[in-house]
Amino acid sequence: MNYLFFKDLLFYAFFIVMAIILYRRLLRRMSKGNINQNDYCVLFSLEQNPASGEIPFYFTLEKEQTVSLFIEHEDKSSVLVVEKTYKPGGHIVRYDSKQLADGFYYYILKTELQETKKKFTIQNA
């Protein structure tokens, strides 16, 4: 009787260990495609749209990165606002929109891993 009890106990222990191993492999396989959010910046929408005068562009990042911020017209001509390495945290970059004609534009944030684009309107008149 003790032999049968010991045999059943080993069988159940083996089954539990195999289930744990398979579960861990499944979790590892499912997490391979996950994106690390700390590698990317968050570009926020403008508070005032249509924009006029000095425009504050706000973005956040979790680790130090080189960021390029552009303003692009619908005709694909663009103006570099800033290209600089920023430390983690929130940052505001200001640009005087009076240098541009009224119309529809995009502001584009580029890093090594991403490009984020948002549309806005300039109306200085």
Side-chain angles (χ1 to χ4, degrees), residues 6-71:
F6 185 68
K7 185 178 172 185
D8 288 342
L9 182 65
L10 284 176
F11 174 75
Y12 290 122
F14 175 76
F15 179 76
I16 291 171
V17 168
M18 289 304 294
I20 290 171
I21 291 171
L22 290 174
Y23 179 70
R24 285 186 176 180
R25 284 192 177 181
L26 177 66
L27 287 179
R28 192 175 331 134
R29 183 178 180 113
M30 289 174 55
S31 68
K32 279 187 180 179
N34 289 348
I35 296 173
N36 185 0
Q37 296 293 332
N38 293 336
D39 292 339
Y40 297 93
C41 296
V42 177
L43 179 62
F44 291 86
S45 298
L46 297 178
E47 289 182 4
Q48 182 183 1
N49 195 6
S52 63
E54 189 175 78
I55 305 170
F57 298 103
Y58 180 67
F59 62 93
T60 62
L61 44 105
E62 296 295 322
K63 68 178 191 176
E64 187 171 299
Q65 294 187 57
T66 300
V67 174
S68 301
L69 186 67
F70 296 89
I71 295 177

Side-chain angles (χ1 to χ4, degrees), residues 104-125:
F104 295 104
Y105 290 86
Y106 296 93
Y107 56 106
I108 304 164
L109 182 136
K110 291 183 183 181
T111 67
E112 184 179 311
L113 298 175
Q114 82 180 88
E115 179 177 317
T116 304
K117 182 186 281 192
K118 295 194 179 224
K119 189 173 185 177
F120 74 108
T121 305
I122 292 180
Q123 191 172 27
N124 287 318

